[in-house]
Amino acid sequence: MKRLALPALLLGAALLLTACPQTPPPPPPSASCAPTPQGLTLQALPPEPQGLGDFSAPHVPGELLVLPGGITPQALAGRVEGVELLGSLPGGFLRVRVSPGEEAAKAAALLRAGARWVQPNYLYRPLFTPNDPLYPASPLDASRLQPYYQAIRLEAAWDLLGSPRCTPVVAVLDTAFNPNHPDLQPSLLPGRNLTPDGLAPEDLSPSPPPQGYAYTDGEADHGQGVAGLVAAVADNNRGIPGAGLNRVKVLPLKVFYWVGGEYISSSAVLAAALRYAADQGAAVANLSLGTSTPLDGVVQQALGYALSKGTLPVASSGNAGTDGLFYPAAYPGVLAVGSARLDGTRSDFSNYSTQPADLVLAAAGNKNPLQTLWSLALGQNYPYYQTLGAYAKWVGTSFAAPQASALAALYVAEHYARYGRGPSPDQIRLCLTQTASNGGSYDPQTGYGLLRADRVMTDTTYCFP
């Protein structure tokens, strides 16, 4: 296969990219790649937590998530005044309402009344560094994608792809999506709104804000930008090519909604989306979001469920530029993805980990000096939200993760083509970490190093033994 030619983007009323490939990539086959289960039983999943969560962390006001243990929900709620049952979550957790400001006190009372574990309904934020509107517009645009893809040897990997036999699915759990965007629509599966924002389950548009609140620039465009790096349509004389090169489908799952005055996600919604992605047969779940809060029993349990069904969670490492991965990237079984500059060194904003973790890097910009990369924006305005346009410049670990997710999906398709079955999540994670630029060695600043897509497609030790 010839490499895609990616001329510079031009700024104007519309942003178009003229690609002149000698041989376009083949259209994706109709069959999907069924993920290979990890082989976990429910008994082998992480043990249920016991005690209290961290109530100093951001959370949904007036809500608790409770693991009741051996007590019936009604009996437990009846033992503590001011606790209202709202419903149950998969995995045995209960969602309850208490008076805002009394979350910690009521949690302690529920624990004394016999509950096994009580936590807040934690909040998860999209992990990106906002783009700067004063980027120069010229044919020498430094934000074009080609240097970023070349940094992880993606073009070389595209040349090595065989004939696809199935189309892997990447679930993108994020802010909002425009299914009619012409540079993404052919790559999208029917999505799902998992939030309690009052919109229909199939409505992926930004959630209407409460009275008196408004979006910031680019806030809701985030999900479209992440999905674009996975699967924007290649060779259509428009915009950008996704890293999946027309061989990957995206399952868009809206998990962000307004909680008080913030556009954010929560433990309950994120866990429901992870389970939904796994039940829909996604090979990868992209999580360009996070929190510094440790031990969210609801989300950790959902991650274990996804792994047991064969879905690999891929999560951004965090944008604080400090030691310690954000969650869910820090949980066992998750492939954590940080950001590198174009020279391969760690981006100044990217979280790292002095403790060994399943951490790799993809090139996704820098703050100082500034490096940004193009991806999609919603391209459709709403009465309460004005999009950045059809395309926007992005930077952050949020835009490193989808490159890794797309590469993981390409590996699944190639594994399926060779062996008639997909790899397990452990196999995918091992392949991507051990073939990265640090040669299987762990570095506290860069983890296992920059992804090497060319090695992922050729390695006979870890990827195709």
mmCIF file of all heavy atoms in Angstrom, residues 138-186:
data_model
loop_
_atom_site.group_PDB
_atom_site.id
_atom_site.type_symbol
_atom_site.label_atom_id
_atom_site.label_comp_id
_atom_site.label_asym_id
_atom_site.label_seq_id
_atom_site.Cartn_x
_atom_site.Cartn_y
_atom_site.Cartn_z
ATOM 1 N N SER A 138 -1.231 28.799 7.463
ATOM 2 C CA SER A 138 -0.369 28.870 6.294
ATOM 3 C C SER A 138 -0.173 27.483 5.725
ATOM 4 O O SER A 138 -0.430 26.479 6.395
ATOM 5 C CB SER A 138 0.979 29.485 6.669
ATOM 6 O OG SER A 138 1.858 28.491 7.164
ATOM 7 N N PRO A 139 0.300 27.397 4.467
ATOM 8 C CA PRO A 139 0.589 26.074 3.901
ATOM 9 C C PRO A 139 1.677 25.323 4.660
ATOM 10 O O PRO A 139 1.853 24.122 4.461
ATOM 11 C CB PRO A 139 1.031 26.400 2.468
ATOM 12 C CG PRO A 139 0.432 27.740 2.177
ATOM 13 C CD PRO A 139 0.449 28.465 3.482
ATOM 14 N N LEU A 140 2.410 25.997 5.496
ATOM 15 C CA LEU A 140 3.446 25.353 6.305
ATOM 16 C C LEU A 140 2.920 25.055 7.706
ATOM 17 O O LEU A 140 3.663 25.099 8.674
ATOM 18 C CB LEU A 140 4.682 26.254 6.377
ATOM 19 C CG LEU A 140 5.309 26.611 5.030
ATOM 20 C CD1 LEU A 140 6.479 27.555 5.235
ATOM 21 C CD2 LEU A 140 5.748 25.356 4.296
ATOM 22 N N ASP A 141 1.638 24.765 7.804
ATOM 23 C CA ASP A 141 0.960 24.530 9.078
ATOM 24 C C ASP A 141 1.649 23.437 9.883
ATOM 25 O O ASP A 141 1.693 22.276 9.486
ATOM 26 C CB ASP A 141 -0.488 24.129 8.785
ATOM 27 C CG ASP A 141 -1.318 23.974 10.031
ATOM 28 O OD1 ASP A 141 -0.791 24.131 11.141
ATOM 29 O OD2 ASP A 141 -2.517 23.686 9.886
ATOM 30 N N ALA A 142 2.171 23.795 11.033
ATOM 31 C CA ALA A 142 2.888 22.834 11.870
ATOM 32 C C ALA A 142 1.963 21.876 12.598
ATOM 33 O O ALA A 142 2.443 20.964 13.276
ATOM 34 C CB ALA A 142 3.746 23.589 12.886
ATOM 35 N N SER A 143 0.643 22.054 12.484
ATOM 36 C CA SER A 143 -0.292 21.173 13.180
ATOM 37 C C SER A 143 -0.787 20.026 12.316
ATOM 38 O O SER A 143 -1.644 19.263 12.750
ATOM 39 C CB SER A 143 -1.502 21.983 13.671
ATOM 40 O OG SER A 143 -1.100 22.984 14.578
ATOM 41 N N ARG A 144 -0.281 19.904 11.120
ATOM 42 C CA ARG A 144 -0.735 18.798 10.276
ATOM 43 C C ARG A 144 -0.397 17.466 10.947
ATOM 44 O O ARG A 144 0.555 17.361 11.714
ATOM 45 C CB ARG A 144 -0.125 18.885 8.882
ATOM 46 C CG ARG A 144 1.384 18.824 8.861
ATOM 47 C CD ARG A 144 1.910 19.194 7.476
ATOM 48 N NE ARG A 144 3.354 19.062 7.398
ATOM 49 C CZ ARG A 144 4.211 20.017 7.740
ATOM 50 N NH1 ARG A 144 3.750 21.169 8.222
ATOM 51 N NH2 ARG A 144 5.501 19.822 7.630
ATOM 52 N N LEU A 145 -1.163 16.451 10.635
ATOM 53 C CA LEU A 145 -1.072 15.185 11.370
ATOM 54 C C LEU A 145 0.126 14.328 10.990
ATOM 55 O O LEU A 145 0.573 13.513 11.799
ATOM 56 C CB LEU A 145 -2.340 14.357 11.138
ATOM 57 C CG LEU A 145 -3.543 14.656 12.025
ATOM 58 C CD1 LEU A 145 -4.668 13.692 11.708
ATOM 59 C CD2 LEU A 145 -3.170 14.556 13.497
ATOM 60 N N GLN A 146 0.619 14.494 9.784
ATOM 61 C CA GLN A 146 1.636 13.548 9.321
ATOM 62 C C GLN A 146 2.829 13.410 10.268
ATOM 63 O O GLN A 146 3.234 12.291 10.587
ATOM 64 C CB GLN A 146 2.110 13.922 7.916
ATOM 65 C CG GLN A 146 2.976 12.853 7.273
ATOM 66 C CD GLN A 146 3.301 13.170 5.827
ATOM 67 O OE1 GLN A 146 3.401 14.333 5.449
ATOM 68 N NE2 GLN A 146 3.474 12.150 5.034
ATOM 69 N N PRO A 147 3.434 14.481 10.772
ATOM 70 C CA PRO A 147 4.560 14.299 11.690
ATOM 71 C C PRO A 147 4.194 13.536 12.960
ATOM 72 O O PRO A 147 5.015 12.800 13.510
ATOM 73 C CB PRO A 147 4.988 15.738 12.012
ATOM 74 C CG PRO A 147 4.463 16.564 10.895
ATOM 75 C CD PRO A 147 3.192 15.906 10.491
ATOM 76 N N TYR A 148 2.961 13.702 13.420
ATOM 77 C CA TYR A 148 2.520 13.008 14.628
ATOM 78 C C TYR A 148 2.378 11.509 14.366
ATOM 79 O O TYR A 148 2.792 10.685 15.185
ATOM 80 C CB TYR A 148 1.204 13.615 15.126
ATOM 81 C CG TYR A 148 1.374 15.010 15.669
ATOM 82 C CD1 TYR A 148 1.241 16.115 14.839
ATOM 83 C CD2 TYR A 148 1.708 15.223 16.995
ATOM 84 C CE1 TYR A 148 1.422 17.399 15.328
ATOM 85 C CE2 TYR A 148 1.884 16.496 17.502
ATOM 86 C CZ TYR A 148 1.746 17.583 16.656
ATOM 87 O OH TYR A 148 1.935 18.856 17.160
ATOM 88 N N TYR A 149 1.772 11.177 13.239
ATOM 89 C CA TYR A 149 1.643 9.770 12.894
ATOM 90 C C TYR A 149 3.000 9.138 12.603
ATOM 91 O O TYR A 149 3.251 7.981 12.958
ATOM 92 C CB TYR A 149 0.730 9.611 11.680
ATOM 93 C CG TYR A 149 -0.749 9.765 11.962
ATOM 94 C CD1 TYR A 149 -1.232 10.064 13.241
ATOM 95 C CD2 TYR A 149 -1.677 9.621 10.942
ATOM 96 C CE1 TYR A 149 -2.580 10.197 13.482
ATOM 97 C CE2 TYR A 149 -3.042 9.757 11.170
ATOM 98 C CZ TYR A 149 -3.487 10.054 12.448
ATOM 99 O OH TYR A 149 -4.826 10.186 12.691
ATOM 100 N N GLN A 150 3.889 9.899 11.961
ATOM 101 C CA GLN A 150 5.212 9.358 11.669
ATOM 102 C C GLN A 150 6.006 9.098 12.948
ATOM 103 O O GLN A 150 6.843 8.199 12.988
ATOM 104 C CB GLN A 150 5.974 10.310 10.757
ATOM 105 C CG GLN A 150 5.470 10.326 9.320
ATOM 106 C CD GLN A 150 6.181 11.339 8.455
ATOM 107 O OE1 GLN A 150 6.733 12.329 8.946
ATOM 108 N NE2 GLN A 150 6.157 11.113 7.143
ATOM 109 N N ALA A 151 5.733 9.878 13.992
ATOM 110 C CA ALA A 151 6.454 9.695 15.252
ATOM 111 C C ALA A 151 6.231 8.309 15.842
ATOM 112 O O ALA A 151 7.111 7.770 16.527
ATOM 113 C CB ALA A 151 6.039 10.773 16.260
ATOM 114 N N ILE A 152 5.047 7.726 15.590
ATOM 115 C CA ILE A 152 4.792 6.369 16.091
ATOM 116 C C ILE A 152 4.878 5.335 14.963
ATOM 117 O O ILE A 152 4.422 4.210 15.109
ATOM 118 C CB ILE A 152 3.429 6.287 16.801
ATOM 119 C CG1 ILE A 152 2.269 6.615 15.862
ATOM 120 C CG2 ILE A 152 3.411 7.181 18.036
ATOM 121 C CD1 ILE A 152 0.899 6.348 16.461
ATOM 122 N N ARG A 153 5.477 5.738 13.833
ATOM 123 C CA ARG A 153 5.708 4.856 12.672
ATOM 124 C C ARG A 153 4.393 4.298 12.116
ATOM 125 O O ARG A 153 4.334 3.159 11.667
ATOM 126 C CB ARG A 153 6.646 3.706 13.033
ATOM 127 C CG ARG A 153 7.952 4.094 13.685
ATOM 128 C CD ARG A 153 8.854 4.900 12.754
ATOM 129 N NE ARG A 153 10.223 4.927 13.229
ATOM 130 C CZ ARG A 153 10.714 5.772 14.122
ATOM 131 N NH1 ARG A 153 9.910 6.690 14.665
ATOM 132 N NH2 ARG A 153 11.979 5.719 14.483
ATOM 133 N N LEU A 154 3.356 5.128 12.153
ATOM 134 C CA LEU A 154 2.055 4.635 11.725
ATOM 135 C C LEU A 154 1.990 4.430 10.216
ATOM 136 O O LEU A 154 1.390 3.470 9.731
ATOM 137 C CB LEU A 154 0.953 5.588 12.183
ATOM 138 C CG LEU A 154 -0.479 5.128 11.951
ATOM 139 C CD1 LEU A 154 -0.760 3.821 12.689
ATOM 140 C CD2 LEU A 154 -1.473 6.197 12.403
ATOM 141 N N GLU A 155 2.600 5.337 9.452
ATOM 142 C CA GLU A 155 2.593 5.161 8.004
ATOM 143 C C GLU A 155 3.261 3.853 7.600
ATOM 144 O O GLU A 155 2.793 3.146 6.695
ATOM 145 C CB GLU A 155 3.286 6.337 7.319
ATOM 146 C CG GLU A 155 2.487 7.615 7.353
ATOM 147 C CD GLU A 155 3.151 8.738 6.588
ATOM 148 O OE1 GLU A 155 4.364 8.639 6.315
ATOM 149 O OE2 GLU A 155 2.461 9.704 6.258
ATOM 150 N N ALA A 156 4.368 3.522 8.271
ATOM 151 C CA ALA A 156 5.036 2.253 7.976
ATOM 152 C C ALA A 156 4.135 1.071 8.302
ATOM 153 O O ALA A 156 4.127 0.061 7.586
ATOM 154 C CB ALA A 156 6.341 2.163 8.766
ATOM 155 N N ALA A 157 3.369 1.184 9.375
ATOM 156 C CA ALA A 157 2.440 0.104 9.734
ATOM 157 C C ALA A 157 1.332 -0.026 8.706
ATOM 158 O O ALA A 157 0.914 -1.143 8.374
ATOM 159 C CB ALA A 157 1.853 0.369 11.126
ATOM 160 N N TRP A 158 0.813 1.114 8.184
ATOM 161 C CA TRP A 158 -0.219 1.049 7.156
ATOM 162 C C TRP A 158 0.260 0.252 5.943
ATOM 163 O O TRP A 158 -0.500 -0.495 5.336
ATOM 164 C CB TRP A 158 -0.600 2.460 6.717
ATOM 165 C CG TRP A 158 -1.427 3.217 7.707
ATOM 166 C CD1 TRP A 158 -2.101 2.717 8.775
ATOM 167 C CD2 TRP A 158 -1.660 4.626 7.708
ATOM 168 N NE1 TRP A 158 -2.744 3.722 9.451
ATOM 169 C CE2 TRP A 158 -2.502 4.919 8.816
ATOM 170 C CE3 TRP A 158 -1.248 5.671 6.887
ATOM 171 C CZ2 TRP A 158 -2.925 6.208 9.109
ATOM 172 C CZ3 TRP A 158 -1.672 6.961 7.180
ATOM 173 C CH2 TRP A 158 -2.508 7.223 8.281
ATOM 174 N N ASP A 159 1.549 0.423 5.591
ATOM 175 C CA ASP A 159 2.092 -0.297 4.438
ATOM 176 C C ASP A 159 2.152 -1.802 4.674
ATOM 177 O O ASP A 159 2.276 -2.581 3.719
ATOM 178 C CB ASP A 159 3.498 0.210 4.119
ATOM 179 C CG ASP A 159 3.482 1.587 3.470
ATOM 180 O OD1 ASP A 159 2.434 1.956 2.905
ATOM 181 O OD2 ASP A 159 4.504 2.296 3.526
ATOM 182 N N LEU A 160 2.098 -2.211 5.951
ATOM 183 C CA LEU A 160 2.243 -3.635 6.294
ATOM 184 C C LEU A 160 0.911 -4.342 6.493
ATOM 185 O O LEU A 160 0.886 -5.553 6.713
ATOM 186 C CB LEU A 160 3.076 -3.761 7.583
ATOM 187 C CG LEU A 160 4.524 -3.260 7.497
ATOM 188 C CD1 LEU A 160 5.132 -3.190 8.887
ATOM 189 C CD2 LEU A 160 5.355 -4.168 6.593
ATOM 190 N N LEU A 161 -0.197 -3.605 6.432
ATOM 191 C CA LEU A 161 -1.495 -4.210 6.704
ATOM 192 C C LEU A 161 -1.867 -5.200 5.607
ATOM 193 O O LEU A 161 -1.746 -4.903 4.416
ATOM 194 C CB LEU A 161 -2.575 -3.137 6.813
ATOM 195 C CG LEU A 161 -2.462 -2.169 8.000
ATOM 196 C CD1 LEU A 161 -3.504 -1.068 7.882
ATOM 197 C CD2 LEU A 161 -2.606 -2.910 9.312
ATOM 198 N N GLY A 162 -2.344 -6.364 6.023
ATOM 199 C CA GLY A 162 -2.834 -7.349 5.065
ATOM 200 C C GLY A 162 -4.293 -7.106 4.736
ATOM 201 O O GLY A 162 -4.884 -6.087 5.098
ATOM 202 N N SER A 163 -4.889 -8.053 4.046
ATOM 203 C CA SER A 163 -6.300 -7.941 3.697
ATOM 204 C C SER A 163 -7.146 -8.146 4.943
ATOM 205 O O SER A 163 -7.036 -9.175 5.614
ATOM 206 C CB SER A 163 -6.672 -8.986 2.636
ATOM 207 O OG SER A 163 -5.921 -8.772 1.451
ATOM 208 N N PRO A 164 -8.009 -7.175 5.275
ATOM 209 C CA PRO A 164 -8.810 -7.304 6.504
ATOM 210 C C PRO A 164 -9.891 -8.368 6.370
ATOM 211 O O PRO A 164 -10.463 -8.554 5.302
ATOM 212 C CB PRO A 164 -9.418 -5.915 6.668
ATOM 213 C CG PRO A 164 -9.472 -5.367 5.282
ATOM 214 C CD PRO A 164 -8.290 -5.921 4.563
ATOM 215 N N ARG A 165 -10.138 -9.056 7.458
ATOM 216 C CA ARG A 165 -11.213 -10.045 7.501
ATOM 217 C C ARG A 165 -12.332 -9.628 8.447
ATOM 218 O O ARG A 165 -13.370 -10.279 8.487
ATOM 219 C CB ARG A 165 -10.658 -11.406 7.929
ATOM 220 C CG ARG A 165 -9.758 -12.064 6.896
ATOM 221 C CD ARG A 165 -9.212 -13.388 7.392
ATOM 222 N NE ARG A 165 -10.258 -14.294 7.843
ATOM 223 C CZ ARG A 165 -10.027 -15.447 8.482
ATOM 224 N NH1 ARG A 165 -8.790 -15.822 8.726
ATOM 225 N NH2 ARG A 165 -11.030 -16.204 8.861
ATOM 226 N N CYS A 166 -12.096 -8.590 9.223
ATOM 227 C CA CYS A 166 -13.119 -8.108 10.145
ATOM 228 C C CYS A 166 -12.835 -6.648 10.456
ATOM 229 O O CYS A 166 -11.743 -6.146 10.175
ATOM 230 C CB CYS A 166 -13.149 -8.941 11.421
ATOM 231 S SG CYS A 166 -11.643 -8.790 12.421
ATOM 232 N N THR A 167 -13.807 -5.987 11.041
ATOM 233 C CA THR A 167 -13.681 -4.570 11.388
ATOM 234 C C THR A 167 -13.801 -4.416 12.902
ATOM 235 O O THR A 167 -14.893 -4.534 13.451
ATOM 236 C CB THR A 167 -14.775 -3.742 10.693
ATOM 237 O OG1 THR A 167 -14.689 -3.941 9.292
ATOM 238 C CG2 THR A 167 -14.607 -2.253 11.006
ATOM 239 N N PRO A 168 -12.706 -4.146 13.593
ATOM 240 C CA PRO A 168 -12.783 -3.964 15.044
ATOM 241 C C PRO A 168 -13.494 -2.669 15.415
ATOM 242 O O PRO A 168 -13.505 -1.702 14.646
ATOM 243 C CB PRO A 168 -11.316 -3.937 15.489
ATOM 244 C CG PRO A 168 -10.549 -3.572 14.274
ATOM 245 C CD PRO A 168 -11.324 -4.056 13.101
ATOM 246 N N VAL A 169 -14.078 -2.660 16.590
ATOM 247 C CA VAL A 169 -14.844 -1.517 17.085
ATOM 248 C C VAL A 169 -14.101 -0.881 18.255
ATOM 249 O O VAL A 169 -13.676 -1.576 19.185
ATOM 250 C CB VAL A 169 -16.254 -1.953 17.531
ATOM 251 C CG1 VAL A 169 -16.997 -0.789 18.195
ATOM 252 C CG2 VAL A 169 -17.039 -2.490 16.339
ATOM 253 N N VAL A 170 -13.960 0.440 18.191
ATOM 254 C CA VAL A 170 -13.425 1.221 19.312
ATOM 255 C C VAL A 170 -14.566 2.043 19.891
ATOM 256 O O VAL A 170 -15.139 2.894 19.196
ATOM 257 C CB VAL A 170 -12.280 2.145 18.871
ATOM 258 C CG1 VAL A 170 -11.836 3.033 20.032
ATOM 259 C CG2 VAL A 170 -11.096 1.332 18.342
ATOM 260 N N ALA A 171 -14.931 1.782 21.127
ATOM 261 C CA ALA A 171 -15.927 2.607 21.817
ATOM 262 C C ALA A 171 -15.225 3.856 22.324
ATOM 263 O O ALA A 171 -14.186 3.774 22.978
ATOM 264 C CB ALA A 171 -16.557 1.842 22.969
ATOM 265 N N VAL A 172 -15.763 5.030 22.009
ATOM 266 C CA VAL A 172 -15.211 6.302 22.477
ATOM 267 C C VAL A 172 -16.187 6.883 23.487
ATOM 268 O O VAL A 172 -17.309 7.260 23.137
ATOM 269 C CB VAL A 172 -14.969 7.279 21.310
ATOM 270 C CG1 VAL A 172 -14.507 8.632 21.840
ATOM 271 C CG2 VAL A 172 -13.933 6.700 20.344
ATOM 272 N N LEU A 173 -15.778 6.930 24.749
ATOM 273 C CA LEU A 173 -16.612 7.433 25.840
ATOM 274 C C LEU A 173 -16.235 8.890 26.068
ATOM 275 O O LEU A 173 -15.143 9.180 26.571
ATOM 276 C CB LEU A 173 -16.393 6.614 27.107
ATOM 277 C CG LEU A 173 -16.977 5.195 27.172
ATOM 278 C CD1 LEU A 173 -16.376 4.266 26.136
ATOM 279 C CD2 LEU A 173 -16.779 4.603 28.572
ATOM 280 N N ASP A 174 -17.123 9.818 25.698
ATOM 281 C CA ASP A 174 -16.654 11.203 25.664
ATOM 282 C C ASP A 174 -17.807 12.201 25.741
ATOM 283 O O ASP A 174 -18.905 11.861 26.172
ATOM 284 C CB ASP A 174 -15.809 11.416 24.409
ATOM 285 C CG ASP A 174 -14.584 12.274 24.702
ATOM 286 O OD1 ASP A 174 -14.766 13.478 24.971
ATOM 287 O OD2 ASP A 174 -13.456 11.746 24.670
ATOM 288 N N THR A 175 -17.538 13.427 25.272
ATOM 289 C CA THR A 175 -18.427 14.564 25.541
ATOM 290 C C THR A 175 -19.666 14.581 24.649
ATOM 291 O O THR A 175 -20.785 14.618 25.133
ATOM 292 C CB THR A 175 -17.668 15.886 25.354
ATOM 293 O OG1 THR A 175 -17.133 15.941 24.016
ATOM 294 C CG2 THR A 175 -16.535 16.000 26.351
ATOM 295 N N ALA A 176 -19.468 14.633 23.332
ATOM 296 C CA ALA A 176 -20.585 14.731 22.387
ATOM 297 C C ALA A 176 -20.087 14.368 21.003
ATOM 298 O O ALA A 176 -18.869 14.368 20.749
ATOM 299 C CB ALA A 176 -21.182 16.141 22.383
ATOM 300 N N PHE A 177 -21.013 14.066 20.098
ATOM 301 C CA PHE A 177 -20.649 13.638 18.748
ATOM 302 C C PHE A 177 -21.683 14.172 17.764
ATOM 303 O O PHE A 177 -22.868 14.271 18.083
ATOM 304 C CB PHE A 177 -20.604 12.111 18.641
ATOM 305 C CG PHE A 177 -19.724 11.449 19.675
ATOM 306 C CD1 PHE A 177 -20.252 11.081 20.912
ATOM 307 C CD2 PHE A 177 -18.390 11.200 19.418
ATOM 308 C CE1 PHE A 177 -19.467 10.483 21.875
ATOM 309 C CE2 PHE A 177 -17.585 10.596 20.376
ATOM 310 C CZ PHE A 177 -18.122 10.236 21.603
ATOM 311 N N ASN A 178 -21.211 14.475 16.565
ATOM 312 C CA ASN A 178 -22.094 14.817 15.462
ATOM 313 C C ASN A 178 -22.044 13.682 14.455
ATOM 314 O O ASN A 178 -21.102 13.607 13.649
ATOM 315 C CB ASN A 178 -21.672 16.134 14.810
ATOM 316 C CG ASN A 178 -22.479 16.451 13.557
ATOM 317 O OD1 ASN A 178 -23.514 15.841 13.301
ATOM 318 N ND2 ASN A 178 -21.999 17.397 12.767
ATOM 319 N N PRO A 179 -23.023 12.787 14.448
ATOM 320 C CA PRO A 179 -22.985 11.640 13.537
ATOM 321 C C PRO A 179 -23.041 12.024 12.065
ATOM 322 O O PRO A 179 -22.736 11.193 11.207
ATOM 323 C CB PRO A 179 -24.228 10.827 13.934
ATOM 324 C CG PRO A 179 -24.563 11.278 15.315
ATOM 325 C CD PRO A 179 -24.170 12.717 15.361
ATOM 326 N N ASN A 180 -23.408 13.268 11.764
ATOM 327 C CA ASN A 180 -23.536 13.694 10.371
ATOM 328 C C ASN A 180 -22.283 14.401 9.846
ATOM 329 O O ASN A 180 -22.288 14.876 8.713
ATOM 330 C CB ASN A 180 -24.743 14.620 10.226
ATOM 331 C CG ASN A 180 -26.046 13.908 10.539
ATOM 332 O OD1 ASN A 180 -26.261 12.777 10.113
ATOM 333 N ND2 ASN A 180 -26.908 14.561 11.302
ATOM 334 N N HIS A 181 -21.249 14.488 10.639
ATOM 335 C CA HIS A 181 -20.006 15.094 10.160
ATOM 336 C C HIS A 181 -19.501 14.279 8.976
ATOM 337 O O HIS A 181 -19.270 13.075 9.088
ATOM 338 C CB HIS A 181 -18.967 15.106 11.275
ATOM 339 C CG HIS A 181 -17.787 15.987 11.009
ATOM 340 N ND1 HIS A 181 -16.937 15.806 9.942
ATOM 341 C CD2 HIS A 181 -17.308 17.061 11.695
ATOM 342 C CE1 HIS A 181 -15.983 16.720 9.973
ATOM 343 N NE2 HIS A 181 -16.187 17.506 11.037
ATOM 344 N N PRO A 182 -19.317 14.894 7.813
ATOM 345 C CA PRO A 182 -18.983 14.103 6.617
ATOM 346 C C PRO A 182 -17.645 13.392 6.681
ATOM 347 O O PRO A 182 -17.428 12.443 5.931
ATOM 348 C CB PRO A 182 -18.997 15.159 5.494
ATOM 349 C CG PRO A 182 -18.827 16.468 6.188
ATOM 350 C CD PRO A 182 -19.474 16.324 7.519
ATOM 351 N N ASP A 183 -16.760 13.833 7.585
ATOM 352 C CA ASP A 183 -15.454 13.178 7.694
ATOM 353 C C ASP A 183 -15.451 12.066 8.737
ATOM 354 O O ASP A 183 -14.412 11.464 9.002
ATOM 355 C CB ASP A 183 -14.371 14.209 8.031
ATOM 356 C CG ASP A 183 -12.994 13.814 7.511
ATOM 357 O OD1 ASP A 183 -12.905 12.842 6.741
ATOM 358 O OD2 ASP A 183 -12.015 14.473 7.878
ATOM 359 N N LEU A 184 -16.608 11.800 9.346
ATOM 360 C CA LEU A 184 -16.674 10.744 10.363
ATOM 361 C C LEU A 184 -17.870 9.822 10.175
ATOM 362 O O LEU A 184 -17.818 8.643 10.557
ATOM 363 C CB LEU A 184 -16.723 11.370 11.763
ATOM 364 C CG LEU A 184 -16.597 10.423 12.960
ATOM 365 C CD1 LEU A 184 -15.250 9.708 12.952
ATOM 366 C CD2 LEU A 184 -16.776 11.169 14.270
ATOM 367 N N GLN A 185 -18.944 10.339 9.593
ATOM 368 C CA GLN A 185 -20.207 9.598 9.524
ATOM 369 C C GLN A 185 -20.052 8.167 9.005
ATOM 370 O O GLN A 185 -20.620 7.235 9.589
ATOM 371 C CB GLN A 185 -21.209 10.393 8.675
ATOM 372 C CG GLN A 185 -22.610 9.812 8.667
ATOM 373 C CD GLN A 185 -22.803 8.742 7.602
ATOM 374 O OE1 GLN A 185 -22.132 8.786 6.564
ATOM 375 N NE2 GLN A 185 -23.680 7.789 7.867
ATOM 376 N N PRO A 186 -19.280 7.911 7.921
ATOM 377 C CA PRO A 186 -19.176 6.522 7.450
ATOM 378 C C PRO A 186 -18.499 5.573 8.433
ATOM 379 O O PRO A 186 -18.646 4.359 8.318
ATOM 380 C CB PRO A 186 -18.348 6.655 6.157
ATOM 381 C CG PRO A 186 -18.535 8.070 5.725
ATOM 382 C CD PRO A 186 -18.615 8.849 6.993
#
